[in-house]
Amino acid sequence: MRSKKQWLNDILDIGGVFTFGNLYSLDCASLKDSRRIAERLKKYWLEHKLVKPLDDTRTWVLDNAWNQEFFTITLEGCKFLERGDEYKNITCKAVSTDRIRHESYKIDVLLSLVRLYRDYKFYITYPISLGGRRPDALIFMKHRTIDKQYNFILEIERKKTISRTFKETVYPYLSINKKDKSIPRKYKVLVVFSDKDSYPDFYRPQMT
């Protein structure tokens, strides 16, 4: 079972923004048990001011706050992890419900990578433009002990048909300007596709 510090380290590795709905645990037999762990984390982190709501000016109530309310790591949280130099003052504007689903999906994917590949050190950025496109993330994975590294351009796709994903996402990367200095060397494009009708946005493994 991951510690309070390990959970927070994982979140900081992907940029420091999350919802508590993203903190599900595969170690738990039920969704109820998994949520109970996340609720304990929430109580501890908020009491010690290690995290705060990303939008602390919101005056309305969210329909599904557990999955829709985003939090960010505070300066105190970064110091708690002995990573104070990595603190960023992150703010946000109001976003659409569809965008909330997309962002949550992206956090799920990135946290899964960090958890599955503990032998790698991650550096993740969110470029506004990359070869004329705006990917969901740029991922650098460097092995901690041997000379091995992977660079991924991440694209998250939630569509009804995979053919549309090929047309709008996969094919354009085949003609991307590889001489653009913003594009990493020896990269791969990682496209994560989900049929939005078959797989609900906030679906969790224990719900099978």
Side-chain angles (χ1 to χ4, degrees):
M1 193 70 71
R2 287 180 295 277
S3 67
K4 297 181 182 70
K5 182 171 284 191
Q6 182 65 71
W7 281 101
L8 211 56
N9 263 309
D10 291 347
I11 294 167
L12 187 55
D13 281 344
I14 68 166
V17 175
F18 68 103
T19 74
F20 280 94
N22 294 125
L23 306 187
Y24 65 90
S25 174
L26 289 175
D27 299 325
C28 297
S30 69
L31 186 64
K32 183 178 180 180
D33 290 341
S34 179
R35 178 158 177 164
R36 188 179 294 118
I37 291 174
E39 286 174 342
R40 286 200 294 264
L41 291 172
K42 182 177 183 179
K43 183 174 185 295
Y44 181 88
W45 289 348
L46 288 175
E47 283 181 354
H48 292 80
K49 299 181 179 180
L50 304 181
V51 303
K52 68 175 184 178
L54 184 57
D55 181 5
D56 53 11
T57 63
R58 190 185 67 254
T59 57
W60 65 90
V61 177
L62 294 168
D63 295 332
N64 183 1
W66 188 252
N67 290 309
Q68 295 179 349
E69 183 175 18
F70 289 87
F71 291 79
T72 183
I73 300 178
T74 63
L75 176 58
E76 289 79 3
C78 290
K79 289 180 178 178
F80 172 72
L81 299 174
E82 299 179 356
R83 297 170 64 178
D85 59 327
E86 297 179 47
Y87 169 72
K88 293 180 181 178
N89 182 26
I90 302 173
T91 58
C92 80
K93 299 178 181 179
V95 295
S96 66
T97 301
D98 193 60
R99 190 64 192 175
I100 287 174
R101 294 190 185 102
H102 186 90
E103 290 300 309
S104 180
Y105 184 6
K106 178 174 68 179
I107 293 168
D108 282 341
V109 171
L110 292 173
L111 280 177
S112 295
L113 283 172
V114 170
R115 293 169 181 171
L116 287 170
Y117 297 97
R118 294 292 186 193
D119 291 340
Y120 286 81
K121 174 69 176 177
F122 283 81
Y123 178 67
I124 299 171
T125 64
Y126 302 92
I128 295 176
S129 179
L130 198 68
R133 296 189 59 81
R134 184 170 184 173
D136 285 297
L138 186 56
I139 306 168
F140 299 92
M141 298 172 55
K142 187 173 183 180
H143 201 279
R144 297 180 186 276
T145 58
I146 61 177
D147 186 21
K148 184 181 291 186
Q149 180 171 333
Y150 298 100
N151 303 323
F152 291 105
I153 296 174
L154 176 66
E155 290 280 4
I156 301 293
E157 294 295 336
R158 297 167 47 256
K159 291 182 169 63
K160 292 185 177 181
T161 61
I162 196 168
S163 60
R164 185 179 163 194
T165 295
F166 271 92
K167 179 180 179 181
E168 298 178 5
T169 304
V170 177
Y171 294 147
Y173 273 106
L174 299 178
S175 58
I176 196 170
N177 181 12
K178 297 182 180 181
K179 294 182 180 180
D180 190 313
K181 293 182 180 180
S182 65
I183 298 176
R185 297 178 61 189
K186 297 181 179 180
Y187 71 90
K188 296 180 182 295
V189 180
L190 175 60
V191 180
V192 181
F193 169 79
S194 173
D195 177 346
K196 62 191 304 182
D197 288 338
S198 302
Y199 298 94
D201 303 301
F202 305 123
Y203 196 82
R204 293 292 171 251
Q206 291 90 348
M207 296 169 71
T208 56

